Amino acid sequence: MAKKTYRSMDDFAAACGVSRPTLSKYFDDPTQIKEVTRKRIEAALKKSNFEPNLFARHLNRKRTKNIGILVPTMSDPFYVQVVSLIELELRAKGFWPVQISSHTRPELEEEAVRTLLSLKVAGAIVAPLGAGSRRSALARLTDAIPVVCFDSPSAFDLPFVGNDNAQSVAAIVQYLCRSGEPPVFLDVPHMMANTNERTESYRATMRREGHEPLVIECESSPSWEFERLGYEQMQRMFARGGLPGKTLLCANDRFAFGAMAAAFASGLKIGRAEGCDIRIAGHDDHPLSRYTCPSLTTMAQNAPEIAAKAVELLLKSVEDEEADRKVAPSRVILEATLVMRESA
Protein backbone atom coordinates (compact mmCIF):
# COMPACT_ATOMS: atom_id res chain seq x y z
CA MET A 1 0.00 0.00 0.00
CA ALA A 2 1.35 3.45 -0.96
CA LYS A 3 2.21 5.69 1.93
CA LYS A 4 0.26 8.91 2.42
CA THR A 5 1.83 12.23 1.47
CA TYR A 6 1.39 15.46 3.43
CA ARG A 7 2.46 18.84 2.11
CA SER A 8 2.90 20.67 5.39
CA MET A 9 3.31 20.35 9.15
CA ASP A 10 -0.27 21.61 9.55
CA ASP A 11 -1.63 18.84 7.31
CA PHE A 12 0.31 16.16 9.11
CA ALA A 13 -0.63 17.49 12.57
CA ALA A 14 -4.31 17.33 11.59
CA ALA A 15 -3.89 13.74 10.36
CA CYS A 16 -2.29 12.79 13.68
CA GLY A 17 -5.04 14.48 15.65
CA VAL A 18 -2.59 16.75 17.48
CA SER A 19 -1.91 20.48 17.43
CA ARG A 20 0.91 22.03 15.38
CA PRO A 21 2.81 23.11 18.56
CA THR A 22 2.59 19.55 19.94
CA LEU A 23 3.97 18.15 16.67
CA SER A 24 6.81 20.69 16.77
CA LYS A 25 7.63 19.61 20.31
CA TYR A 26 7.78 16.00 19.15
CA PHE A 27 10.32 16.76 16.41
CA ASP A 28 12.42 18.84 18.82
CA ASP A 29 12.39 16.27 21.61
CA PRO A 30 9.89 13.36 21.73
CA THR A 31 10.27 13.11 25.51
CA GLN A 32 8.53 16.49 25.89
CA ILE A 33 5.10 15.05 25.10
CA LYS A 34 2.91 12.33 26.61
CA GLU A 35 3.63 8.73 25.65
CA VAL A 36 0.17 8.14 24.19
CA THR A 37 0.53 11.21 21.94
CA ARG A 38 4.05 10.21 20.94
CA LYS A 39 2.87 6.75 19.88
CA ARG A 40 0.05 8.28 17.82
CA ILE A 41 2.52 10.50 15.92
CA GLU A 42 4.98 7.64 15.39
CA ALA A 43 2.22 5.38 14.05
CA ALA A 44 1.22 8.09 11.57
CA LEU A 45 4.85 8.56 10.49
CA LYS A 46 5.15 4.85 9.64
CA LYS A 47 2.13 5.14 7.34
CA SER A 48 3.31 8.28 5.56
CA ASN A 49 6.20 9.77 3.59
CA PHE A 50 6.20 12.87 5.75
CA GLU A 51 9.61 14.39 6.52
CA PRO A 52 9.57 17.73 8.34
CA ASN A 53 11.73 20.52 6.94
CA LEU A 54 13.59 20.97 10.21
CA PHE A 55 16.05 23.39 8.68
CA ALA A 56 13.29 25.76 7.57
CA ARG A 57 11.59 25.45 10.96
CA HIS A 58 14.77 26.38 12.74
CA LEU A 59 15.33 29.41 10.53
CA ASN A 60 11.91 30.71 11.55
CA ARG A 61 12.91 30.74 15.19
CA LYS A 62 14.79 33.43 17.04
CA ARG A 63 17.29 30.78 18.13
CA THR A 64 18.03 27.71 16.00
CA LYS A 65 19.63 24.41 16.89
CA ASN A 66 22.42 25.16 14.39
CA ILE A 67 26.00 25.85 15.51
CA GLY A 68 28.51 27.39 13.12
CA ILE A 69 32.05 26.03 12.80
CA LEU A 70 34.48 28.32 10.97
CA VAL A 71 38.08 27.29 10.23
CA PRO A 72 40.83 28.68 7.97
CA THR A 73 41.06 25.58 5.75
CA MET A 74 39.78 22.05 5.43
CA SER A 75 42.84 20.92 3.46
CA ASP A 76 44.76 20.60 6.74
CA PRO A 77 43.99 17.22 8.39
CA PHE A 78 44.45 18.78 11.85
CA TYR A 79 41.38 20.98 11.27
CA VAL A 80 39.54 18.07 9.68
CA GLN A 81 40.22 16.00 12.81
CA VAL A 82 39.11 18.66 15.30
CA VAL A 83 36.06 19.72 13.27
CA SER A 84 34.92 16.10 12.97
CA LEU A 85 35.16 15.72 16.73
CA ILE A 86 33.26 19.00 17.28
CA GLU A 87 30.52 17.84 14.92
CA LEU A 88 30.09 14.57 16.81
CA GLU A 89 29.97 16.42 20.15
CA LEU A 90 27.29 18.79 18.83
CA ARG A 91 25.18 16.02 17.29
CA ALA A 92 25.29 14.06 20.52
CA LYS A 93 23.86 17.11 22.30
CA GLY A 94 21.06 17.70 19.80
CA PHE A 95 22.65 20.50 17.74
CA TRP A 96 23.33 20.69 14.02
CA PRO A 97 26.85 21.67 12.90
CA VAL A 98 27.18 24.11 9.99
CA GLN A 99 30.82 23.97 8.88
CA ILE A 100 32.44 26.65 6.67
CA SER A 101 36.06 27.24 5.61
CA SER A 102 37.51 30.66 4.85
CA HIS A 103 40.15 29.05 2.59
CA THR A 104 42.76 31.20 4.43
CA ARG A 105 41.35 34.36 2.78
CA PRO A 106 40.15 37.32 4.90
CA GLU A 107 37.38 38.23 2.46
CA LEU A 108 36.01 34.69 2.59
CA GLU A 109 36.20 34.67 6.39
CA GLU A 110 34.08 37.83 6.33
CA GLU A 111 31.67 36.22 3.87
CA ALA A 112 31.44 33.15 6.12
CA VAL A 113 30.45 35.38 9.04
CA ARG A 114 27.62 36.86 6.97
CA THR A 115 26.48 33.37 5.97
CA LEU A 116 26.42 32.08 9.56
CA LEU A 117 24.42 35.10 10.71
CA SER A 118 21.95 34.70 7.84
CA LEU A 119 21.42 31.09 8.93
CA LYS A 120 20.63 32.32 12.45
CA VAL A 121 23.10 29.97 14.10
CA ALA A 122 22.78 29.89 17.88
CA GLY A 123 26.53 30.20 18.35
CA ALA A 124 29.85 29.58 16.64
CA ILE A 125 33.14 27.79 17.25
CA VAL A 126 35.87 29.58 15.32
CA ALA A 127 39.54 29.08 14.50
CA PRO A 128 40.41 32.64 13.36
CA LEU A 129 42.86 33.46 10.60
CA GLY A 130 44.89 35.38 13.17
CA ALA A 131 46.69 38.44 11.83
CA GLY A 132 44.79 38.07 8.56
CA SER A 133 41.32 38.31 10.12
CA ARG A 134 39.28 41.44 9.51
CA ARG A 135 38.46 42.80 12.93
CA SER A 136 35.09 44.18 11.80
CA ALA A 137 33.93 40.75 10.61
CA LEU A 138 34.63 38.97 13.89
CA ALA A 139 33.23 41.92 15.83
CA ARG A 140 29.95 41.57 13.95
CA LEU A 141 29.80 37.87 14.78
CA THR A 142 30.64 38.28 18.48
CA ASP A 143 28.13 41.11 18.84
CA ALA A 144 25.34 38.86 17.57
CA ILE A 145 25.96 35.40 19.04
CA PRO A 146 28.14 33.52 21.54
CA VAL A 147 31.54 32.62 20.07
CA VAL A 148 34.31 30.30 21.30
CA CYS A 149 37.73 30.21 19.61
CA PHE A 150 40.08 27.26 19.27
CA ASP A 151 43.63 26.72 17.95
CA SER A 152 44.38 30.46 17.89
CA PRO A 153 42.81 33.14 20.13
CA SER A 154 41.14 36.14 18.53
CA ALA A 155 42.01 39.79 19.09
CA PHE A 156 38.85 40.03 21.20
CA ASP A 157 38.48 38.85 24.78
CA LEU A 158 36.70 35.65 23.80
CA PRO A 159 36.66 32.18 25.36
CA PHE A 160 39.51 30.09 23.98
CA VAL A 161 40.43 26.41 23.99
CA GLY A 162 43.88 25.48 22.79
CA ASN A 163 47.25 23.88 23.27
CA ASP A 164 49.69 24.85 26.02
CA ASN A 165 52.49 25.81 23.65
CA ALA A 166 54.86 26.75 26.46
CA GLN A 167 54.55 23.27 27.97
CA SER A 168 54.61 21.33 24.70
CA VAL A 169 57.61 23.04 23.12
CA ALA A 170 59.52 22.87 26.40
CA ALA A 171 58.87 19.12 26.59
CA ILE A 172 60.18 18.33 23.11
CA VAL A 173 63.19 20.66 23.46
CA GLN A 174 64.15 18.94 26.71
CA TYR A 175 63.76 15.52 25.08
CA LEU A 176 65.93 16.49 22.09
CA CYS A 177 68.62 17.96 24.38
CA ARG A 178 68.69 14.79 26.49
CA SER A 179 68.81 12.42 23.54
CA GLY A 180 71.36 14.18 21.32
CA GLU A 181 72.55 17.48 19.95
CA PRO A 182 70.42 20.49 21.07
CA PRO A 183 67.88 21.50 18.40
CA VAL A 184 67.88 24.40 15.97
CA PHE A 185 64.36 25.85 15.61
CA LEU A 186 62.94 26.20 12.09
CA ASP A 187 60.25 28.83 12.40
CA VAL A 188 57.16 29.48 10.28
CA PRO A 189 55.73 32.90 9.36
CA HIS A 190 54.02 34.36 12.44
CA MET A 191 50.46 34.58 11.16
CA MET A 192 48.86 33.33 14.40
CA ALA A 193 49.47 33.87 18.11
CA ASN A 194 50.43 30.25 18.75
CA THR A 195 53.48 30.58 16.49
CA ASN A 196 54.86 33.37 18.70
CA GLU A 197 54.29 31.23 21.80
CA ARG A 198 56.18 28.28 20.33
CA THR A 199 59.18 30.37 19.31
CA GLU A 200 59.44 32.04 22.73
CA SER A 201 59.11 28.73 24.54
CA TYR A 202 61.95 27.29 22.45
CA ARG A 203 64.22 30.22 23.33
CA ALA A 204 63.39 30.10 27.04
CA THR A 205 63.79 26.33 27.31
CA MET A 206 67.12 26.26 25.49
CA ARG A 207 68.49 28.84 27.92
CA ARG A 208 67.23 26.86 30.90
CA GLU A 209 68.96 23.80 29.50
CA GLY A 210 72.22 25.75 29.22
CA HIS A 211 72.28 26.12 25.42
CA GLU A 212 72.20 29.13 23.13
CA PRO A 213 68.95 29.16 21.10
CA LEU A 214 69.19 29.39 17.32
CA VAL A 215 66.00 30.34 15.47
CA ILE A 216 66.00 30.14 11.66
CA GLU A 217 63.25 32.44 10.43
CA CYS A 218 61.30 31.40 7.35
CA GLU A 219 62.35 33.61 4.45
CA SER A 220 59.31 32.91 2.28
CA SER A 221 56.26 35.16 2.13
CA PRO A 222 53.56 34.20 4.67
CA SER A 223 51.51 31.27 3.40
CA TRP A 224 49.49 28.33 4.70
CA GLU A 225 51.43 26.02 2.36
CA PHE A 226 53.72 24.92 5.18
CA GLU A 227 55.09 21.85 3.39
CA ARG A 228 56.35 24.04 0.54
CA LEU A 229 57.80 26.59 2.98
CA GLY A 230 59.71 23.88 4.84
CA TYR A 231 61.08 22.38 1.65
CA GLU A 232 62.20 25.75 0.27
CA GLN A 233 63.79 26.85 3.54
CA MET A 234 65.88 23.67 3.69
CA GLN A 235 66.94 24.14 0.06
CA ARG A 236 68.12 27.67 0.84
CA MET A 237 70.20 26.41 3.77
CA PHE A 238 71.75 23.67 1.66
CA ALA A 239 72.58 26.22 -1.05
CA ARG A 240 74.44 28.33 1.52
CA GLY A 241 76.72 25.52 2.51
CA GLY A 242 74.71 23.24 4.79
CA LEU A 243 72.58 23.04 7.89
CA PRO A 244 73.36 24.90 11.13
CA GLY A 245 73.03 21.73 13.21
CA LYS A 246 72.19 18.03 13.18
CA THR A 247 68.91 18.34 15.10
CA LEU A 248 66.05 20.42 13.69
CA LEU A 249 62.83 21.23 15.55
CA CYS A 250 60.14 22.54 13.20
CA ALA A 251 57.38 24.86 14.42
CA ASN A 252 54.73 22.46 13.10
CA ASP A 253 54.54 19.02 11.51
CA ARG A 254 53.60 20.26 8.06
CA PHE A 255 56.76 22.39 7.92
CA ALA A 256 58.68 19.31 9.10
CA PHE A 257 57.23 17.26 6.21
CA GLY A 258 58.77 19.72 3.74
CA ALA A 259 62.07 19.79 5.62
CA MET A 260 62.24 15.98 5.60
CA ALA A 261 61.54 15.83 1.86
CA ALA A 262 64.34 18.32 1.15
CA ALA A 263 66.77 16.44 3.41
CA PHE A 264 65.96 13.17 1.65
CA ALA A 265 66.37 14.80 -1.78
CA SER A 266 69.84 15.97 -0.68
CA GLY A 267 70.85 12.46 0.24
CA LEU A 268 70.68 12.80 4.02
CA LYS A 269 69.56 9.92 6.20
CA ILE A 270 66.98 11.10 8.75
CA GLY A 271 66.53 9.43 12.12
CA ARG A 272 67.82 8.79 15.61
CA ALA A 273 69.53 5.47 14.83
CA GLU A 274 73.29 5.17 14.54
CA GLY A 275 74.53 6.22 11.12
CA CYS A 276 71.81 8.82 10.52
CA ASP A 277 72.86 12.30 9.37
CA ILE A 278 70.11 14.45 10.89
CA ARG A 279 67.24 14.39 13.38
CA ILE A 280 64.00 16.22 12.57
CA ALA A 281 61.06 16.75 14.95
CA GLY A 282 57.78 18.62 14.66
CA HIS A 283 54.76 19.72 16.66
CA ASP A 284 51.01 18.91 16.58
CA ASP A 285 50.94 15.16 15.82
CA HIS A 286 49.42 15.81 12.42
CA PRO A 287 47.37 12.72 11.40
CA LEU A 288 49.95 11.90 8.72
CA SER A 289 53.03 12.30 10.95
CA ARG A 290 53.10 8.61 11.89
CA TYR A 291 53.21 7.65 8.20
CA THR A 292 56.21 9.73 7.09
CA CYS A 293 59.43 7.88 6.38
CA PRO A 294 60.82 7.78 8.98
CA SER A 295 57.82 8.45 11.24
CA LEU A 296 57.92 11.91 12.79
CA THR A 297 58.70 12.60 16.45
CA THR A 298 56.31 15.31 17.59
CA MET A 299 54.04 16.70 20.32
CA ALA A 300 50.43 15.47 20.18
CA GLN A 301 47.78 18.10 20.80
CA ASN A 302 44.76 16.80 22.73
CA ALA A 303 42.29 17.11 19.85
CA PRO A 304 39.40 15.24 21.53
CA GLU A 305 39.57 17.47 24.61
CA ILE A 306 39.91 20.63 22.50
CA ALA A 307 36.68 19.70 20.71
CA ALA A 308 34.83 18.67 23.89
CA LYS A 309 35.80 21.80 25.86
CA ALA A 310 34.98 24.16 22.97
CA VAL A 311 31.49 22.66 22.67
CA GLU A 312 31.01 22.65 26.45
CA LEU A 313 31.92 26.34 26.79
CA LEU A 314 29.66 27.40 23.93
CA LEU A 315 26.60 25.38 24.93
CA LYS A 316 26.73 26.69 28.49
CA SER A 317 25.58 29.99 27.01
CA VAL A 318 23.49 28.76 24.08
CA GLU A 319 21.34 26.43 26.16
CA ASP A 320 20.60 28.94 28.91
CA GLU A 321 17.55 30.88 27.77
CA GLU A 322 18.01 33.45 30.54
CA ALA A 323 21.72 34.05 29.94
CA ASP A 324 23.33 36.96 28.21
CA ARG A 325 24.18 36.21 24.56
CA LYS A 326 27.91 36.38 25.26
CA VAL A 327 29.96 33.53 26.68
CA ALA A 328 31.80 34.47 29.87
CA PRO A 329 35.47 34.88 28.90
CA SER A 330 37.62 31.95 29.90
CA ARG A 331 40.69 30.08 28.66
CA VAL A 332 41.12 26.32 28.64
CA ILE A 333 44.76 25.48 27.96
CA LEU A 334 45.54 21.79 27.45
CA GLU A 335 48.89 20.04 27.71
CA ALA A 336 50.31 18.04 24.82
CA THR A 337 52.01 14.63 24.90
CA LEU A 338 55.44 13.75 23.56
CA VAL A 339 55.27 11.12 20.81
CA MET A 340 58.70 9.58 20.19
CA ARG A 341 59.08 8.08 16.73
CA GLU A 342 61.99 7.27 14.42
CA SER A 343 62.85 10.74 13.06
CA ALA A 344 64.41 12.06 16.30
Side-chain angles (χ1 to χ4, degrees):
M1 182 181 294
K3 291 188 175 182
K4 294 182 180 179
T5 300
Y6 299 94
R7 292 185 296 178
S8 68
M9 285 276 285
D10 289 321
D11 290 345
F12 185 66
C16 294
V18 301
S19 67
R20 168 65 183 268
T22 297
L23 188 60
S24 293
K25 279 186 179 182
Y26 171 82
F27 286 120
D28 283 338
D29 181 0
T31 64
Q32 294 184 71
I33 62 176
K34 295 178 180 178
E35 183 179 0
V36 63
T37 306
R38 184 167 66 247
K39 288 182 176 179
R40 187 188 310 163
I41 295 171
E42 289 169 350
L45 281 170
K46 290 179 180 179
K47 297 177 182 179
S48 75
N49 290 316
F50 182 71
E51 293 184 3
N53 188 340
L54 298 180
F55 185 72
R57 290 202 309 114
H58 288 163
L59 288 183
N60 289 328
R61 297 176 175 177
K62 291 182 179 179
R63 180 176 70 82
T64 72
K65 298 286 282 186
N66 303 326
I67 298 292
I69 307 171
L70 174 57
V71 295
T73 175
M74 287 303 288
S75 64
D76 187 327
F78 172 75
Y79 286 122
V80 174
Q81 178 186 27
V82 177
V83 168
S84 296
L85 291 167
I86 288 173
E87 288 183 346
L88 291 173
E89 289 280 341
L90 289 171
R91 289 178 183 277
K93 292 174 169 57
F95 287 81
W96 292 8
V98 179
Q99 190 270 312
I100 305 179
S101 166
S102 63
H103 299 278
T104 72
R105 292 164 56 183
E107 71 274 15
L108 293 184
E109 185 178 63
E110 187 170 27
E111 179 185 277
V113 167
R114 292 196 297 269
T115 300
L116 291 176
L117 292 177
S118 70
L119 293 175
K120 298 182 182 178
V121 295
I125 298 174
V126 178
L129 279 177
S133 292
R134 293 178 178 173
R135 188 177 178 88
S136 59
L138 291 181
R140 184 181 177 192
L141 188 66
T142 58
D143 285 344
I145 58 174
V147 176
V148 170
C149 293
F150 77 96
D151 189 46
S152 179
S154 76
F156 301 93
D157 187 19
L158 295 176
F160 171 70
V161 181
N163 184 67
D164 187 343
N165 291 298
Q167 172 269 333
S168 58
V169 173
I172 198 164
V173 169
Q174 289 165 352
Y175 163 72
L176 293 172
C177 288
R178 289 195 310 268
S179 57
E181 182 182 288
V184 174
F185 191 75
L186 298 190
D187 211 350
V188 295
H190 286 206
M191 298 181 292
M192 303 171 73
N194 55 17
T195 53
N196 299 327
E197 293 171 356
R198 293 180 186 185
T199 307
E200 291 311 308
S201 179
Y202 163 78
R203 288 194 172 104
T205 307
M206 285 286 285
R207 293 189 180 106
R208 286 197 303 270
E209 294 293 311
H211 305 291
E212 187 63 27
L214 177 56
V215 176
I216 305 298
E217 295 181 0
C218 182
E219 300 168 51
S220 300
S221 300
S223 169
W224 288 78
E225 297 178 74
F226 293 117
E227 296 86 355
R228 175 180 62 81
L229 300 186
Y231 189 89
E232 292 175 352
Q233 187 62 41
M234 287 286 281
Q235 285 187 315
R236 282 188 286 266
M237 290 190 291
F238 286 132
R240 293 169 187 161
L243 302 177
K246 293 185 177 181
T247 300
L248 304 180
L249 172 59
C250 299
N252 65 40
D253 287 351
R254 291 179 59 196
F255 198 91
F257 296 161
M260 292 173 74
F264 176 81
S266 297
L268 296 181
K269 186 176 181 181
I270 305 164
R272 55 180 174 155
E274 187 175 348
C276 291
D277 302 302
I278 186 173
R279 297 190 301 164
I280 297 178
H283 190 291
D284 293 338
D285 197 25
H286 187 291
L288 299 180
S289 62
R290 69 190 62 190
Y291 302 114
T292 56
C293 188
S295 55
L296 182 64
T297 291
T298 186
M299 292 298 296
Q301 293 198 54
N302 192 343
E305 195 67 7
I306 289 173
K309 289 297 184 183
V311 171
E312 179 185 327
L313 276 179
L314 186 67
L315 296 191
K316 276 183 180 178
S317 176
V318 170
E319 293 184 320
D320 187 351
E321 299 288 353
E322 303 299 323
D324 184 24
R325 297 178 74 96
K326 296 285 193 338
V327 182
S330 61
R331 290 173 65 85
V332 178
I333 307 300
L334 303 167
E335 292 191 353
T337 303
L338 176 65
V339 180
M340 293 178 287
R341 299 194 179 105
E342 296 305 312
S343 72

